[in-house]
Amino acid sequence: MERHDRILSVEKRTDNRFLNMYDLRYENKAGGRGVYHIASRAGSVDELKLTTKENRPDGVIIYSLYGEAHDRAVLVRQYRFSVDGYVYEFPAGLVDKGETFAEAGARELKEETGLDFTPVQADGMYHKPFFTTIGMTDESCATVYGYASGTVSAEGLEDNEELEVVLADRDEVRRILKEEKVSINCAYLLMHFLHHTDEDPFYFLT
């Protein structure tokens, strides 16, 4: 029988609210042993995806377009400790227990930007949760797509959220992609935004 890497044991190393570290003791296919470190949104070993074998989304990303012509992408320019600087991202947040990722998307967009969200329908493969940085974490996020309306407001922000809402047209998106720090999922979808048709800005979902 062909040998493959296997996990021998899992130990939780921290006890935080939103993110925890776990040590995975493993044996590789050659028989060598070691420890692999991962971060997870899970609060216990039983909730880790390696335990449940379920890919429930931890978070949701909101790709929304603004304006009558749907010609501006709703972005946030947010301070991130990991790079000690500002990064352009889509509005996003964690999915609460008992909440669908669609409900989480509308709630998070309202909290972060003050805008209302009207979703568009898409095949399930476009909404399913995908892994973010699988070498470091089991976190996965679902993406919702739609249109934003209303007036930008910061009233829903928490004290530890430092962000600016940016309604970026194509020229600004090009500048951002060339000059700024951008999250990878945001960057790829902005590349679609640059080339969408006026008739169907979500052409890539069909």
Side-chain angles (χ1 to χ4, degrees), residues 1-10 24-36 50 53:
M1 181 179 294
E2 184 180 358
R3 293 178 63 91
H4 59 83
D5 296 353
R6 64 191 182 104
I7 297 171
L8 303 175
S9 65
V10 182
L24 280 57
R25 298 192 180 277
Y26 69 88
E27 182 178 85
N28 64 28
K29 61 184 180 182
R33 295 194 175 193
V35 179
Y36 194 90
L50 64 86
K53 307 301 182 185

Side-chain angles (χ1 to χ4, degrees), residues 35-48:
V35 179
Y36 194 90
H37 310 286
I38 66 167
S40 178
R41 302 288 187 183
S44 69
V45 173
D46 290 341
E47 294 173 342
L48 288 169

Side-chain angles (χ1 to χ4, degrees), residues 69-80:
H70 312 310
D71 58 353
R72 285 178 282 176
V74 181
L75 308 176
V76 292
R77 178 177 177 268
Q78 186 166 5
Y79 177 82
R80 292 299 193 180

Side-chain angles (χ1 to χ4, degrees), residues 9 14 29 54 60 64 128 141 147-148 160 167 174 177 206:
S9 65
T14 62
K29 61 184 180 182
E54 296 178 357
V60 63
S64 60
K128 65 175 283 190
C141 291
Y147 301 104
N160 62 346
L167 304 177
R174 287 189 179 92
L177 288 174
T206 59

Side-chain angles (χ1 to χ4, degrees), residues 48-104:
L48 288 169
K49 291 183 176 68
L50 64 86
T51 303
T52 67
K53 307 301 182 185
E54 296 178 357
N55 187 13
R56 179 185 179 277
D58 301 283
V60 63
I61 299 164
I62 307 102
Y63 175 32
S64 60
L65 302 180
Y66 185 84
E68 291 185 5
H70 312 310
D71 58 353
R72 285 178 282 176
V74 181
L75 308 176
V76 292
R77 178 177 177 268
Q78 186 166 5
Y79 177 82
R80 292 299 193 180
F81 287 111
S82 55
V83 295
D84 189 22
Y86 289 87
V87 178
Y88 283 81
E89 308 169 62
F90 286 124
L94 298 180
V95 179
D96 293 338
K97 287 187 177 180
E99 186 178 47
T100 68
F101 60 79
E103 292 169 339

Side-chain angles (χ1 to χ4, degrees), residues 118-132:
T118 302
V120 299
Q121 297 301 311
D123 188 278
M125 69 177 178
Y126 297 106
H127 289 300
K128 65 175 283 190
F130 293 105
F131 294 103
T132 54

